[in-house]
Amino acid sequence: MPQSADAIKDYATLFQEPEYQAMLDAKRAQMECGHDAETVAETLAWTKGWEYREKNFARKAAVINPAKACQPLGAVFAAAGFADTLSFVHGSQGCTAYYRSHLARHFKEPAAAVSSSMTEDAAVFGGLSNMVDGLANAYALYHPKMIAVSTTCMAEVIGDDLQAFIAGAKEKGSVPADFDVPFAHTPAFHGSHTTGYDNMMQGILSHFWKDRDRQPNGSLNIIPGFDGHCVGNIREVCRLLDLMGVDYTVLGDASDVYDTPSDGQYRMYAGGTSIEATKAALHAKATISMQGACTTKTLALCREHGQETAELAYPLGVEATDDFLLKVSALTGTPIPSALTLERGRLVDAMTDSQAHLHRKTYAVVGDPDFVTGMTRFLLEIGAEPVHLLATNGSKAWAAALQSLLDASPFGSKATIWPGKDLWHLRSLLCTEPTDFLIGNSYGKFLERDTGVPLIRLTFPIFDRHHHHRFPTWGYQGGLSVLVKLLDKAFDVLDAATGDLGSTDLAFDLTR
Amino acid sequence: MPLDHAGPPGADAPAPGDTDANLHARLITEALGAYPDKFGKRRAKHLATTDLTKSDCGVKSNVKSIPGVMTIRGCAYAGSKGVVWGPVKDLVHISHGPVGCGHYSWAQRRNYATGVTGVDSFVTMQVTSDFQERDVVFGGDKKLKAIIDEIELMFPLNRGVTIQSECPIGLIGDDIEAVAKEKSKETGKAVIPVRCEGFRGVSQSLGHHIANDVIRDWVFPRADAKPDDGFETSPYDVNVIGDYNIGGDAWSSRILLEEIGLRVIGQWSGDATLAEMERAPKAKLNLIHCYRSMNYIARHMEEKYGVAWMEYNFFGPSRIAASLRAIAAQFDDTIQANAERVIAKYQPMADAVIAEFGPRLKGKKVMLYVGGLRPRHVVDAYGDLGMDVVATGYEFAHKDDYARTLKYVREGTLIYDDVTAHELEHFIQGIRPDLVGSGIKEKYGVQKMGVPFRQMHSWDYSGPYHGYDGFAIFARDMDIAVNSPVWSLFKAPWTEGTTGAPAPADMADAAE
């Protein structure tokens, strides 16, 4: 009997016990009508070859393991950055359950959002009454100061008009006439979660900024973009700006709502950008987007209102952080303080100490476009070589910009950029042209298993490791923590390769 | 023929008495007070305290969720792709529509399966048609055909595909059935269209039903038309129906059934192959674990093929022993003797588990809110450990589930159907249970209130919980949750009397 009360075996080991192995073998042999082991092994080997890769890249219709989610997820994330704001997703209710689960699994935090719960009758008659009832209930039960409305694809396909519906709901008294209900149409059949982020951010800002006079001041707006590390990163950006001593507003600050304490109280709302601050942000001199590919429409709105805009691409590492600080300095006329010069020097010092272990190591990077660009830039500046750079939701323009970054570095020549490709493409790339390491999210663990390329988890979503999002990846401090992750994985791999007692452990060095 | 219940084990323990019923009734009234009148009245029908003299729990169920209230429910797609079809391992399941649904449900349900992923098993893959605007405008049938062709190229060992419809499919008038017939004729493999658009019905439940109907209409007829494959039946052939092998549940059940001398010829649908589904009508008896999600097809098999069915419950030694005896009673003396032998073999281990964990868990109050069968089926497993389920409810139950539930619970138990986040939080605060068992969306908020929590959909990434082997893990996991030292750390020593924090007595209780 495999189980016992004093040494309980669970999912991880129970089924490796002989009783279970025999049972599973018998099931396979007698009941499953599967393929024989030889056929499976041959087919597996074939899926790892060049012929398969060519067929795989010839795919035009099937999308297999794409590294992207749909728009409303980004919209719900964007709305979470505003104080006392409840996301209201108009359409089928299952979608909202999915976004909430997805965000909770990554942040290990509750993620509140309501749905208008549309069903067949709404498909026929439209979802107006769902909006009217839904806003009334959400307002009464959850006491938000703002309700941010986005849409599932159901509402988009039947053509529900949010502006008219929200106005209709206000007329019926669902929420007070002056209650803030910004909205964004977020069709899942266009773009990805980063598009949804952009649409909701634009929707919220245009709601508060429209028809108001701008009286420019010297303040800056910072838009973080869709970022699984928002908790650590927004706090790090605030710290840098506080050290600079500039006036700024983070537009969409989800660092508190996704990092609430355990002290006996559940906070549905925590922190976030207040309505007053959002309104006042109209007067800012400039808006800096930390992730340009996430904020195309939002920055266009800022420019329409007369603000200067600047876009970064996930400021990770030395030069990207330099660019951020220089941009802040140029826009505000504030010098960069010596404390930051010191910090910069410390990151460069750490890189100097360790670069030999990463020199010419090869990497595949997958994630949202801005992340891939930022990560690539850091790899180049430490002397590592990016090889496969893939963003399922990356555009041709993104690829072109990243290509110029690669062209400018002697370490960029091995790289190929793959916009629009999925993780099944990446599997073929890693099987035929393996890299030393893979940088991505938790879905990368399937690639690590299939190809043997070690995975470093550095971007959204991270489900199977805990709390990474609480540490920054941006700024000099973020660069340091990313550097340590790259090094830890490299040393772990090296120790594993030299760690067999009495055989490979000749090189099992104590000091590396 | 539902399993007869003699009443929960430990029924002779002190009953909570009227005071609990009064408390629960008061909490219901309070929770309803927050709703706008019309919706308070509607929600009132879904909340009750049990009266054991009645025929069910006295709540209305399986009706539309109210917009804007933060229902925890999902959708029909989740019920079909996520629950019934997704675990069938040798079929490629196409999430047909925009990218999101397949993304959020990708590899999240822990339906363990043997096989080589991407070669002869496809459970943990996300294959989608990634609908774009043009697909919505011009229709997706042509693309769907191309996808099925490409799946044949990429995954030649597949036994077929299923088409899991997302919301837009039913709204734009695509004819996936025509595509299925055409492609199946061409490839000779199963091509199975499922109309599980998320807007259909009121919850996951209709998705289960639709998925069952599709087995009836697209799997069995095809199998019936095939020439006899020479499969030799035996008098001891059974199917396990409605076990999704979460963390290996179906395996730790199957091992017991085989040990009593039965032959499991189909395991639905955790770790299932298409062959196991096609063969099922040849069984003597269908054993149903999750009644809610698969009773439909069991009834069909009874009517069309004369396969009897019965429910069983493999949570906790009391119910396992009762179920093994009830199952064995359908067979001959040998099987009945085997059942006694198996119960005698495992009971000492179960007793040792209870001796180990029971003293730390005895008398602890549990609240549940889960899905198909667990809100009732686990009640006696908690009872085996001396724990007391004081409140329970379902996301998507029907009237017959609430009738069955009454046989498990005590007088005055709080029952909530399709509970809203607002209600659940109020009930938890009012009852202050020692443990809540629910889902990922509920987990982190509950824990922040200082209440121990286990996910009871995914087993909180543990399991299996079925069978004797699973009971040991269940007991250990409940102990891990309830008796962790972290619950005593919530209150900073310098914040005596901080508002919002739980009373010290509550915290001490939880930490005992």
Side-chain angles (χ1 to χ4, degrees):
Chain A
M1 195 162 73
Q3 192 64 288
S4 72
D6 49 358
I8 292 171
K9 296 185 184 71
D10 61 15
Y11 62 101
T13 56
L14 180 65
F15 305 119
Q16 304 307 321
E17 292 294 311
E19 293 91 335
Y20 279 100
Q21 286 290 304
M23 182 188 84
L24 294 173
D25 285 347
K27 177 176 184 289
R28 272 196 295 273
Q30 296 157 22
M31 298 300 164
E32 293 191 357
C33 298
H35 301 274
D36 61 80
E38 200 180 330
T39 306
V40 171
E42 274 171 16
T43 308
L44 175 62
W46 169 71
T47 66
K48 294 185 170 185
W50 279 92
E51 183 203 332
Y52 189 86
R53 171 173 164 167
E54 277 158 29
K55 284 182 200 288
N56 194 5
F57 275 79
R59 257 194 294 135
K60 289 195 164 51
V63 176
I64 306 170
N65 297 354
K68 66 172 182 182
C70 66
Q71 280 211 47
L73 178 79
V76 169
F77 177 89
F82 291 85
D84 303 304
T85 297
L86 181 61
S87 256
F88 182 109
V89 192
H90 183 55
S92 300
Q93 70 193 12
C95 312
T96 307
Y98 276 144
Y99 316 140
R100 295 181 64 210
S101 301
H102 205 69
L103 292 165
R105 287 182 179 124
H106 171 79
F107 288 110
K108 317 298 178 199
E109 291 286 329
V114 299
S115 166
S116 64
S117 295
M118 286 164 64
T119 56
E120 282 107 331
D121 51 349
V124 177
F125 301 111
L128 175 60
S129 67
N130 299 70
M131 179 70 76
V132 172
D133 294 345
L135 286 179
N137 283 320
Y139 181 76
L141 291 179
Y142 300 111
H143 316 294
K145 292 201 177 123
M146 184 200 310
I147 295 178
V149 181
S150 51
T151 48
T152 78
C153 56
M154 178 202 183
E156 289 299 321
V157 171
I158 66 174
D160 278 4
D161 179 347
L162 290 183
Q163 183 157 21
F165 281 18
I166 292 165
K170 286 189 169 182
E171 272 171 32
K172 294 202 177 236
S174 298
V175 294
D178 60 351
F179 186 77
D180 291 306
V181 189
F183 65 90
H185 286 276
T186 49
F189 43 81
H190 174 76
S192 72
H193 56 290
T194 56
T195 323
Y197 179 93
D198 194 14
N199 282 334
M200 181 48 85
M201 195 56 73
Q202 188 221 25
I204 291 173
L205 296 185
S206 62
H207 171 84
F208 288 110
W209 291 0
K210 73 181 166 221
D211 304 328
R212 290 179 56 225
D213 283 337
R214 177 168 172 266
Q215 289 151 349
N217 57 34
S219 177
L220 295 180
N221 297 326
I222 306 291
I223 302 182
F226 190 100
D227 177 22
H229 280 69
C230 64
V231 170
N233 279 341
I234 292 174
R235 288 178 189 162
E236 180 60 16
V237 165
C238 292
R239 194 184 63 85
L240 293 174
L241 293 170
D242 290 341
L243 281 168
M244 292 277 293
V246 300
D247 286 336
Y248 65 94
T249 305
V250 176
L251 289 174
D253 178 356
S255 64
D256 284 347
V257 78
Y258 290 135
D259 191 21
T260 62
S262 268
D263 59 1
Q265 185 191 352
Y266 161 48
R267 298 157 175 85
M268 184 182 285
Y269 311 110
T273 313
S274 69
I275 288 175
E276 296 68 34
T278 308
K279 284 180 179 166
L282 168 66
H283 309 302
K285 175 182 170 67
T287 294
I288 300 177
S289 167
M290 307 302 275
Q291 301 194 68
C294 276
T295 51
T296 316
K297 286 185 187 170
T298 307
L299 288 191
L301 177 81
C302 295
R303 284 190 293 271
E304 281 165 28
H305 282 278
Q307 295 175 359
E308 292 177 55
T309 60
E311 53 186 276
L312 306 170
Y314 209 87
L316 198 171
V318 179
E319 291 167 327
T321 306
D322 293 350
D323 285 354
F324 170 60
L325 296 175
L326 287 166
K327 181 56 77 177
V328 171
S329 176
L331 286 168
T332 60
T334 313
I336 298 168
S338 58
L340 287 176
T341 314
L342 194 61
E343 257 185 46
R344 182 186 190 281
R346 287 174 182 144
L347 173 58
V348 174
D349 181 67
M351 290 165 69
T352 310
D353 298 342
S354 311
Q355 57 86 16
H357 295 278
L358 301 178
H359 187 80
R360 301 271 178 208
K361 288 279 189 293
T362 57
Y363 288 82
V365 183
V366 59
D368 288 340
D370 291 302
F371 170 78
V372 174
T373 300
M375 193 66 233
T376 300
R377 201 170 175 193
F378 185 57
L379 292 172
L380 292 173
E381 68 186 17
I382 201 163
E385 292 182 311
V387 175
H388 312 300
L389 303 174
L390 189 144
T392 307
N393 51 353
S395 66
K396 283 181 184 157
W398 161 75
L402 180 54
Q403 190 59 54
S404 358
L405 188 70
L406 293 164
D407 292 343
S409 164
F411 297 92
S413 60
K414 283 186 184 163
T416 308
I417 304 164
W418 302 100
K421 298 301 177 191
D422 54 43
L423 296 186
W424 201 251
H425 291 118
L426 186 54
R427 183 180 182 274
S428 277
L429 294 173
L430 290 174
C431 287
T432 50
E433 298 176 90
T435 51
D436 294 321
F437 301 98
L438 163 66
I439 295 172
N441 58 28
S442 285
Y443 298 108
K445 78 187 296 175
F446 298 127
L447 293 169
E448 182 178 40
R449 176 197 59 191
D450 290 4
T451 68
V453 177
L455 170 68
I456 300 161
R457 292 165 178 81
L458 272 168
T459 189
F460 183 89
I462 300 176
F463 296 132
D464 62 337
R465 298 291 185 273
H466 294 193
H467 308 308
H468 288 259
H469 65 277
R470 298 180 200 263
F471 299 92
T473 53
W474 293 349
Y476 304 124
Q477 292 298 324
L480 192 60
S481 79
V482 171
L483 175 68
V484 170
K485 281 179 192 168
L486 300 185
L487 286 166
D488 279 352
K489 187 61 82 175
F491 289 131
D492 284 347
V493 166
L494 182 58
D495 277 345
T498 60
D500 281 351
L501 181 63
S503 59
T504 64
D505 68 346
L506 325 173
F508 197 60
D509 288 316
L510 178 61
T511 302
R512 302 261 194 212
Chain B
M1 40 179 160
L3 198 63
D4 185 42
H5 274 278
D12 54 346
D18 288 338
T19 52
D20 260 14
N22 292 346
L23 167 69
H24 297 160
R26 176 169 63 75
L27 292 173
I28 290 172
T29 309
E30 287 168 2
L32 291 172
Y35 287 91
D37 274 354
K38 175 179 161 192
F39 296 106
K41 281 180 189 144
R42 267 171 66 181
R43 281 303 304 158
K45 296 173 184 162
H46 298 264
L47 307 171
T49 59
T50 51
D51 174 350
L52 296 186
T53 64
K54 298 279 167 62
S55 63
D56 65 27
C57 297
V59 293
K60 197 167 175 178
S61 60
N62 195 32
V63 297
K64 280 196 283 189
S65 301
I66 297 170
V69 297
M70 217 174 316
T71 173
I72 292 157
R73 282 175 168 177
C75 65
Y77 166 90
S80 175
K81 189 267 187 178
V83 175
V84 175
W85 277 109
V88 182
K89 65 184 177 181
D90 57 353
L91 303 179
V92 177
H93 307 290
I94 303 166
S95 290
H96 189 39
V99 71
C101 316
H103 187 77
Y104 309 120
S105 57
W106 178 7
Q108 290 291 5
R109 207 158 177 270
R110 303 187 70 238
N111 309 111
Y112 280 12
T114 63
V116 180
T117 300
V119 178
D120 67 346
S121 172
F122 310 97
V123 178
T124 54
M125 298 184 68
Q126 136 72 331
V127 178
T128 175
S129 42
D130 189 15
F131 256 37
Q132 301 299 303
E133 196 125 28
R134 62 177 175 275
D135 302 313
V136 172
V137 175
F138 299 111
D141 287 343
K142 215 170 135 191
K143 187 178 198 175
L144 180 59
K145 290 181 198 171
I147 289 168
I148 294 168
D149 290 342
E150 289 179 357
I151 286 171
E152 270 309 289
L153 274 175
M154 292 289 95
F155 309 115
L157 302 191
N158 80 74
R159 297 297 191 188
V161 301
T162 72
I163 302 156
Q164 304 289 328
S165 301
E166 301 172 6
C167 286
I169 304 307
L171 298 171
I172 62 176
D174 275 11
D175 190 352
I176 59 168
E177 289 81 5
V179 173
K181 280 179 191 152
E182 181 189 324
K183 297 313 285 187
S184 180
K185 208 169 204 177
E186 223 175 279
T187 63
K189 292 185 180 177
V191 180
I192 300 165
V194 192
R195 288 281 180 183
C196 55
E197 289 89 344
F199 63 81
R200 294 192 196 277
V202 303
S203 68
Q204 294 93 313
S205 185
L206 188 63
H208 306 141
H209 197 152
I210 290 167
N212 276 232
D213 288 352
V214 165
I215 298 170
R216 179 194 66 199
D217 297 340
W218 291 81
V219 175
F220 288 163
R222 200 170 159 273
D224 293 344
K226 281 186 188 172
D228 183 27
D229 63 354
F231 181 81
E232 283 182 33
T233 59
S234 88
Y236 304 113
D237 292 351
V238 297
N239 296 306
V240 169
I241 304 285
D243 190 325
Y244 302 103
N245 208 28
I246 311 294
D249 278 340
W251 294 333
S252 56
S253 302
R254 182 187 189 104
I255 204 163
L256 295 174
L257 297 171
E258 290 187 353
E259 254 184 290
I260 68 169
L262 301 179
R263 189 170 78 147
V264 180
I265 65 167
Q267 191 177 297
W268 286 29
S269 58
D271 193 36
T273 62
L274 179 63
E276 292 177 65
M277 304 193 82
E278 291 180 339
R279 180 192 302 130
K282 295 181 177 172
K284 292 285 173 294
L285 180 66
N286 278 325
L287 299 173
I288 304 200
H289 212 245
C290 182
Y291 169 84
R292 180 72 277 132
S293 60
M294 280 209 182
N295 77 85
Y296 318 99
I297 197 66
R299 292 175 194 280
H300 171 72
M301 279 194 259
E302 184 175 43
E303 282 163 26
K304 173 134 192 221
Y305 304 100
V307 186
W309 59 277
M310 66 179 287
E311 295 171 65
Y312 70 109
N313 178 351
F314 269 7
F315 287 105
S318 300
R319 284 294 128 216
I320 296 169
S323 294
L324 283 172
R325 289 186 177 116
I327 292 166
Q330 309 298 317
F331 297 91
D332 55 29
D333 290 351
T334 315
I335 302 293
Q336 290 172 29
N338 287 347
E340 293 306 325
R341 187 176 48 75
V342 167
I343 292 165
K345 171 185 163 189
Y346 284 96
Q347 190 61 46
M349 187 268 284
D351 291 341
V353 166
I354 292 168
E356 169 71 24
F357 299 105
R360 293 200 291 278
L361 295 172
K362 192 170 170 49
K364 300 293 184 190
K365 283 189 291 186
V366 183
M367 288 176 69
L368 298 171
Y369 181 70
V370 214
L373 74 159
R374 292 159 180 175
R376 63 175 177 274
H377 263 201
V378 299
V379 169
D380 292 350
Y382 283 111
D384 287 336
L385 292 166
M387 301 172 80
D388 196 11
V389 174
V390 297
T392 190
Y394 297 80
E395 284 185 36
F396 48 80
H398 298 204
K399 196 173 172 60
D400 50 1
D401 293 298
Y402 285 108
R404 285 163 166 76
T405 305
L406 205 62
K407 296 171 183 163
Y408 279 95
V409 297
R410 294 175 186 282
E411 180 82 10
T413 301
L414 175 61
I415 303 288
Y416 27 73
D417 176 73
D418 185 21
V419 80
T420 68
H422 154 75
E423 292 161 7
L424 190 61
E425 185 186 351
H426 187 76
F427 296 151
I428 292 169
Q429 288 288 23
I431 293 172
R432 294 299 301 179
D434 300 296
L435 178 69
V436 172
S438 190
I440 184 69
K441 302 192 289 296
E442 294 70 62
K443 177 182 172 85
Y444 299 105
V446 172
Q447 290 185 168
K448 284 170 196 294
M449 290 190 252
V451 177
F453 189 97
R454 285 298 294 192
Q455 289 182 65
M456 293 299 281
H457 299 267
S458 67
W459 303 148
D460 233 315
Y461 322 117
S462 180
Y465 284 175
H466 291 179
Y468 287 106
D469 291 347
F471 175 68
I473 303 160
F474 170 81
R476 179 201 67 180
D477 289 354
M478 298 311 134
D479 181 49
I480 287 173
V482 171
N483 295 308
S484 166
V486 301
W487 304 113
S488 64
L489 302 174
F490 273 43
K491 198 166 159 40
W494 56 87
T495 54
E496 197 66 37
T498 303
T499 53
D506 286 338
M507 301 310 303
D509 240 355
E512 263 168 25

